């Protein structure tokens, strides 16, 4: 039986430096008998030569389109918005299963070409737990940026400037500590931060970043389900300087904060980091903004406030890209046991569940999307 070929494509999303495969996991796959083709990439945090040393074959950027049908295309973020049908099995985050804007056009490309989407967001074990996720580094990066925005706002009137990925965590924390020091000089105290969802992957990442940046335990309100059970809005949010939301919802609960709750006297809240970045979701517990932000423009102001300090929202949907090396290593390490079963993916429970979900979602497509 011929070995299974995995084709790692180059990412096309702006400022996306992460990778679903790393040189470390590539070496493990090759040791297990896979052939791994890696597209050269100017954006990926790992040098092309690192993959070559691991035993991969380097191929031209965007060559996945013409790869043999039986090759499995591995990526991270969504493909560019094109119309041509997709013939391969694709392993990636596609963001088209929750009826996001344009979801039908994204999803329909797979059945139109006889391809299959195995969506990384929905790879779950027998208990329904995700086998790999970027949550920890999303929370870590979000909390780090929130501290920087808090300090910037105290010392500047213009919007917080664009940011770029860091080579490693130490470099990010050094910058954050410098910013916090400047913020303390302006405010006369350290910030108070509330993290909701603090016990999960994302929330634990946020709390870790806060502590590494020098925020003491007594300044961190780490909430989870027990604390939010009474239902919001919560005064503890507007009494804090920074609110980091690490809760991702699939059904509606009372809002943690809303425009009315922000119009209170003595509001301290200056920065909200909505790590879930469910900007347009009807389930968002933070319905105070409607614009997704980017690394180029990390914040958006909350309009309509009649008193109190300015309020900035961070809602970047690929926050782990701020730490692409560590985030990729952790994610790919967790994904490796599943990747090692791709040679028989139809009979591997994790991938079979992903295929079943794909089939269910395809069945909901309007006929018009399939006729293009």
């Amino acid at each position: 039986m011929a070995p299974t070929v995995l084709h790692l494509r180059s990412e096309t999303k702006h400022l996306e430096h992460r990778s679903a495969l790393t040189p470390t996991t590539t070496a493990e796959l090759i040791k297990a008998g896979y052939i791994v083709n890696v597209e050269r990439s100017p954006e990926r945090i790992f040098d092309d030569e690192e993959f070559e040393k691991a035993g991969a074959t380097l191929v031209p950027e965007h060559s996945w389109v013409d790869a043999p049908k039986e090759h499995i295309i591995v990526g991270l973020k969504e493909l560019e918005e094109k119309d041509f049908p997709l013939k391969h099995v694709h392993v990636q985050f596609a963001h088209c299963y929750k009826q996001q804007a344009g979801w039908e056009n994204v999803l329909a490309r797979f059945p139109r070409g006889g391809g299959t989407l195995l969506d990384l967001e929905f790879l779950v074990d027998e208990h329904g737990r995700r086998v790999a996720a970027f949550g920890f580094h999303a929370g870590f990066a979000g909390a780090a940026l929130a501290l920087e925005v808090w300090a910037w706002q105290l010392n500047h009137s213009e919007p917080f400037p664009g940011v770029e990925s860091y080579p490693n965590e130490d470099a990010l924390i050094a910058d954050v500590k410098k910013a916090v020091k400047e913020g303390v000089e302006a405010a006369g105290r350290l910030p108070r931060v509330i993290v909701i969802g603090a016990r999960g992957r994302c929330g634990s990442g946020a709390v870790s970043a806060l502590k590494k940046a020098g925020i003491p335990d007594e300044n961190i309100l780490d909430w989870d389900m027990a604390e939010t059970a009474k239902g919001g809005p919560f005064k503890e949010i507007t009494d804090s300087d920074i609110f980091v939301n690490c809760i991702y919802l699939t059904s509606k609960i009372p809002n943690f904060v809303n425009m009315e709750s922000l119009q209170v006297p003595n509001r301290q809240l200056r920065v909200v980091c909505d790590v879930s970045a469910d900007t347009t979701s009807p389930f968002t517990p933070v319905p105070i903004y409607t614009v997704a932000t980017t690394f180029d423009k990390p914040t958006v102001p909350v309009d309509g406030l009649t008193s109190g300090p300015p309020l900035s929202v961070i809602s970047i949907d690929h926050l782990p890209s701020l730490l692409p090396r560590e985030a990729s290593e952790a994610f790919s390490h967790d994904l490796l046991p599943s990747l090692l079963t791709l040679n028989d993916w139809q009979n591997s429970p994790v991938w079979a569940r992903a295929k079943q979900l794909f089939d269910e979602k395809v069945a909901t497509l309007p006929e018009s999307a399939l006729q293009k």
Side-chain angles (χ1 to χ4, degrees):
M1 186 174 164
T4 300
V5 180
L6 305 183
H7 184 119
L8 179 66
R9 60 177 173 81
S10 176
E11 298 295 322
T12 54
K13 189 179 180 80
H14 185 49
L15 295 177
E16 181 55 82
H17 305 305
R18 293 174 296 169
S19 178
L21 300 185
T22 68
T24 304
T25 51
T26 295
E28 290 297 321
L29 287 160
I30 291 169
K31 192 190 302 182
Y34 288 82
I35 292 174
V36 182
N37 295 334
V38 174
E39 292 187 4
R40 296 180 182 274
S41 172
E43 292 292 329
R44 198 183 290 127
I45 188 66
F46 304 100
D47 292 336
D48 297 338
E49 291 71 27
E50 293 182 69
F51 284 100
E52 198 168 36
K53 285 178 183 173
T57 300
L58 296 180
V59 296
E61 195 174 6
H62 311 315
S63 59
W64 67 266
V65 177
D66 299 314
K69 186 178 189 300
E70 64 272 15
H71 290 195
I72 297 175
I73 312 303
V74 180
L76 197 66
K77 298 301 283 186
E78 59 270 28
L79 296 167
E80 288 183 291
E81 293 183 14
K82 307 277 188 180
D83 276 336
F84 65 87
L86 300 169
K87 64 184 180 183
H88 300 94
V89 172
H90 284 259
V91 177
Q92 64 173 77
F93 290 94
H95 304 295
C96 62
Y97 281 1
K98 301 176 210 160
Q99 301 201 345
Q100 293 97 330
W103 71 275
E104 64 273 26
N105 297 326
V106 174
L107 183 56
R109 294 178 66 190
F110 295 93
R112 282 171 48 218
T116 299
L117 168 63
L118 302 176
D119 198 306
L120 289 169
E121 186 176 352
F122 300 95
L123 288 190
V124 295
D125 63 17
E126 64 273 20
H127 305 295
R129 288 191 295 259
R130 288 179 65 178
V131 300
F134 282 102
F136 181 90
H137 287 94
F140 193 101
L145 276 185
L147 288 171
E148 291 194 335
V149 172
W150 170 78
W152 178 271
Q153 204 192 84
L154 288 165
N155 288 288
H156 302 82
S157 56
E158 64 271 22
F160 184 72
V163 295
E164 295 183 350
S165 295
Y166 282 82
N168 54 56
E169 181 186 298
D170 289 346
L172 170 61
I173 290 299
D175 271 4
V176 175
K177 282 183 172 179
K178 180 183 174 186
V180 168
K181 184 181 177 193
E182 293 171 356
V184 169
E185 288 171 357
R189 59 174 177 81
L190 285 160
R192 291 182 295 270
V193 187
I194 181 169
V195 178
I196 296 187
R199 314 286 190 277
R201 276 176 171 145
C202 176
S204 61
V207 172
S208 174
L210 295 171
K211 291 182 177 181
K212 287 187 176 184
I215 308 302
D217 288 354
E218 59 267 25
N219 281 46
I220 302 172
L221 205 57
D222 53 346
W223 278 22
D224 212 272
M225 293 178 69
E227 292 84 358
T228 59
K230 62 184 180 182
F234 301 109
K235 184 176 183 291
E236 289 86 349
I237 291 177
T238 49
D239 285 346
S240 300
D241 299 286
I242 298 169
F243 165 38
V244 183
N245 177 48
C246 294
I247 296 291
Y248 169 78
L249 294 172
T250 55
S251 58
K252 187 63 183 170
I253 65 171
N255 293 323
F256 297 157
V257 63
N258 57 27
M259 292 304 298
E260 186 178 356
S261 73
L262 292 175
Q263 309 279 15
V264 291
N266 305 315
R267 169 176 56 84
Q268 298 298 311
L269 186 67
R270 285 179 171 269
V271 181
V272 173
C273 181
D274 188 9
V275 180
S276 69
D278 274 341
T279 311
T280 59
S281 169
F283 306 131
T284 178
V286 190
I288 60 173
Y289 73 102
T290 57
V291 177
T293 66
T294 63
F295 284 136
D296 291 338
K297 295 180 179 177
T299 64
V300 61
V302 175
D303 296 323
L305 299 175
T306 56
S307 63
L311 179 56
S312 301
V313 175
I314 303 165
S315 60
I316 299 169
D317 70 359
H318 58 132
L319 278 167
S321 288
L322 201 64
L323 289 172
R325 184 172 286 271
E326 287 97 336
S328 297
E329 290 283 14
F331 180 83
S332 198
H333 173 272
D334 290 349
L335 188 61
L336 182 60
S338 301
L339 292 170
L340 288 167
T341 66
L342 274 172
N343 56 355
D344 188 27
W345 67 266
Q346 295 94 333
N347 296 309
S348 167
V350 165
W351 300 110
R353 279 188 284 270
K355 173 61 161 65
Q356 181 181 354
L357 181 61
F358 168 72
D359 290 339
E360 290 170 2
K361 295 298 182 181
V362 166
T364 69
L365 281 168
E367 193 62 32
S368 57
L370 295 167
Q371 298 305 319
K372 285 191 175 180

